[in-house]
Amino acid sequence: PKKLISENGIEFILMDPGYIKLGSPESEMRRMRNEIQRNVKISKHFYVSKNLISEKIYNDIVINTSGGSNLPKVNLNWIDAAIFANKLSEKENFKKFYNIKNGKVVSVNYNSNGYRLLSEAEWEACASSEYNKTIYPWGDSHTIPPFAGNLSGEENKGKLKYYIENFRDEFQKRSDVGSFKENY
């Protein structure tokens, strides 16, 4: 199905196979000198969570408590995220994707039906509307349109060192999961 909801209430969107161009052309502003542009084929459908994972869902899966807010879970490293994927797989009776020993991924199970983190190309496909890559998440314009996302705008002037002039999202800190339009 195009959309599905897991046993734990996470809504997933089906992404189609296709091509994505990673990197950027030499003419693009703010391009790194060592950045190489290449085409990548995503050969299989994959599901992606419609929203970021909330503190509440993370706590329920990893810590086994029902507490937490609808704010996105932050300050996780890659291993923490892989552990979350494995624990989510276990809760839903799927085979774990990652084999983790002593805090390190020692192998992966490509035949697993469990949850895993997106590849760089898959993430880029989700972040780029319909596989049409843009410079910024909101498009190619420097001007950020209203409701583009939870960015540090003028509401943080005087509170944070960095903020975006002429932009407001009305949130001084993180916004609840699902507050803004998804990219896909």
Side-chain angles (χ1 to χ4, degrees):
K2 287 286 187 189
K3 292 182 181 187
L4 65 87
I5 298 177
S6 76
E7 292 175 16
N8 292 285
I10 302 170
E11 187 174 348
F12 289 92
I13 307 292
L14 181 66
M15 299 296 292
D16 293 324
Y19 287 90
I20 185 78
K21 189 173 284 197
L22 298 181
S24 63
E26 290 183 22
S27 61
E28 186 173 291
M29 186 175 77
R30 296 181 5 196
R31 177 184 186 271
M32 303 296 277
R33 287 179 180 242
N34 65 348
E35 192 171 346
I36 298 168
Q37 194 170 27
R38 65 188 195 279
N39 290 314
V40 175
K41 179 181 181 184
I42 298 174
S43 58
K44 297 190 294 189
H45 288 85
F46 64 96
Y47 281 102
V48 63
S49 175
K50 179 179 178 181
N51 294 301
L52 299 172
I53 300 301
S54 70
E55 291 176 342
K56 183 176 181 354
I57 289 174
Y58 181 86
N59 290 347
D60 182 46
I61 301 301
V62 176
I63 304 170
N64 221 12
T65 70
S66 59
S69 71
N70 196 37
L71 293 172
K73 180 65 180 165
V74 295
N75 298 325
L76 297 176
N77 60 35
W78 190 90
I79 291 292
D80 292 334
I83 289 168
F84 171 78
N86 273 358
K87 288 192 179 261
L88 185 59
S89 296
E90 285 178 321
K91 273 210 162 188
E92 296 189 16
N93 295 314
F94 294 137
K95 291 180 187 172
K96 294 186 292 186
F97 183 79
Y98 302 101
N99 182 8
I100 301 172
K101 296 225 192 280
N102 301 321
K104 294 184 180 185
V105 173
V106 295
S107 64
V108 295
N109 179 0
Y110 290 109
N111 295 317
S112 161
N113 60 350
Y115 293 97
R116 64 173 177 79
L117 303 176
L118 297 174
S119 70
E120 179 184 3
E122 289 168 338
W123 185 92
E124 193 73 44
C126 294
S128 302
S129 177
E130 296 182 29
Y131 292 80
N132 293 322
K133 187 170 172 131
T134 58
I135 296 171
Y136 305 105
W138 55 83
D140 290 327
S141 171
H142 294 289
T143 305
I144 304 170
F147 308 108
N150 189 202
L151 309 170
S152 180
E154 297 219 357
E155 65 276 1
N156 288 306
K157 189 175 186 176
K159 296 175 189 146
L160 297 175
K161 184 176 179 180
Y162 300 104
Y163 65 92
I164 302 166
E165 291 183 11
N166 302 318
F167 178 80
R168 292 186 73 83
D169 71 4
E170 303 306 326
F171 294 95
Q172 290 187 10
K173 295 187 178 180
R174 293 177 287 159
S175 60
D176 279 346
V177 168
S179 294
F180 296 94
K181 181 182 177 295
E182 62 271 4
N183 292 55
Y184 33 81

